[in-house]
Amino acid sequence: TGPEAKIAVYFVSLNPSCRPLASASRALTALVSTNLPAKAIYVISVTQPIDSDNMAGEFMENMLFLFNQFENNLRKQKCTAGMLKCLEKGD
């Protein structure tokens, strides 16, 4: 394996409400938690002190990602229900 690389970012979030890490997309989640570390590249937020080098930090990061997935699924469910309602009304 080659040398380890770290990418420092100010904040990790794709959600307009800017909740730290909890609103990252699935693609960003996979990139940050799996794909990049597999290549010895790590994303470190300078404003979000979650140390994923230990079990507690990794647990916290995973919990935030799970909350994000739950929030996204709720949004999808509400959007789909709204579209079905519009179709039924003929809007």
Side-chain angles (χ1 to χ4, degrees):
T1 61
E4 184 177 285
K6 293 186 180 183
I7 300 170
V9 296
Y10 180 74
F11 196 75
V12 179
S13 181
L14 296 178
N15 190 319
S17 64
C18 291
R19 273 174 264 162
L21 284 177
S23 298
S25 71
R26 284 186 186 153
L28 179 60
T29 301
L31 182 69
V32 171
S33 65
T34 308
N35 299 350
L36 290 177
K39 296 177 181 177
I41 301 170
Y42 302 92
V43 175
I44 308 220
S45 171
V46 296
T47 59
Q48 298 162 283
I50 297 175
D51 181 9
S52 60
D53 288 340
N54 61 50
M55 288 187 342
E58 189 176 332
F59 175 79
M60 182 64 168
E61 194 175 69
N62 287 331
M63 288 299 295
L64 291 172
F65 290 144
L66 285 172
F67 284 124
N68 169 56
Q69 184 176 7
F70 176 73
E71 184 181 43
N72 285 342
N73 287 338
L74 280 177
R75 199 174 308 116
K76 177 182 173 183
Q77 185 179 28
K78 287 179 183 179
C79 184
T80 303
M83 290 189 303
L84 286 173
K85 227 178 197 179
C86 285
L87 282 172
E88 289 169 357
K89 290 187 335 188
D91 290 342

